[in-house]
Amino acid sequence: QLHLVESGGGLVEPGGSLRLSCAASGSTLDYYAIGWFRQAPGEEREGIAYISSNDGSNDGYTYYPDSVKGRFTISRDSSKNTVYLQMNGLKPEDTAVYYCAAELFGAKTTVIKLTGWNFWGQGTQVTVSS
């Protein structure tokens, strides 16, 4: 059983940066692909970043939709069993609850699916406002 905990959210001014963490316990996160998602009030959940599992064939593969490409970066620190989401150039429209999710042996993809993930975190609020 994998337990995910997001942290690092908060209030930031437009143009600012935040780094979100998705810390795992209960299993080795390297076996899992990780997706970052966000959901604003009244809107559908959106996949915003993806990193494949470290299973030897897809190591280091990342994917971002156009809405965040060039501003957000997903990375993995195996020694800390944590995946990060570095968010730069934040905009008011980035305001949402951010979630991470894990899929066992997730491979390369160009679509961040919204269902079928094995585990989800509880979310962390990001508010971009002056």
Side-chain angles (χ1 to χ4, degrees):
Q1 189 80 2
L2 190 69
H3 183 57
L4 302 175
V5 177
E6 300 97 334
S7 62
L11 174 64
V12 63
E13 293 187 348
S17 298
L18 282 175
R19 188 179 76 161
L20 305 184
S21 299
C22 175
S25 60
S27 183
T28 301
L29 203 55
D30 279 358
Y31 299 150
Y32 294 84
I34 300 297
W36 278 99
F37 301 80
R38 66 185 180 188
Q39 188 166 20
E43 303 206 6
E44 293 186 354
R45 189 168 293 188
E46 174 191 13
I48 57 170
Y50 176 91
I51 188 166
S52 63
S53 61
N54 276 356
D55 63 356
S57 60
N58 300 301
D59 295 2
Y61 174 83
T62 59
Y63 172 78
Y64 310 90
D66 288 343
S67 58
V68 305
K69 191 178 296 182
R71 299 190 298 126
F72 291 9
T73 303
I74 189 171
S75 62
R76 185 191 294 273
D77 187 336
S78 298
S79 68
K80 297 182 179 179
N81 219 28
T82 299
V83 170
Y84 301 100
L85 183 68
Q86 178 67 43
M87 305 188 295
N88 299 326
L90 285 163
K91 307 174 182 179
E93 52 264 41
D94 294 319
T95 295
V97 178
Y98 283 69
Y99 302 88
C100 63
E103 179 187 30
L104 188 63
F105 300 131
K108 293 180 179 179
T109 184
T110 56
V111 176
I112 304 175
K113 61 184 181 180
L114 299 180
T115 61
W117 295 86
N118 299 117
F119 303 99
W120 287 86
Q122 84 292 345
T124 185
Q125 176 70 45
V126 171
T127 302
V128 185
S129 175
S130 55

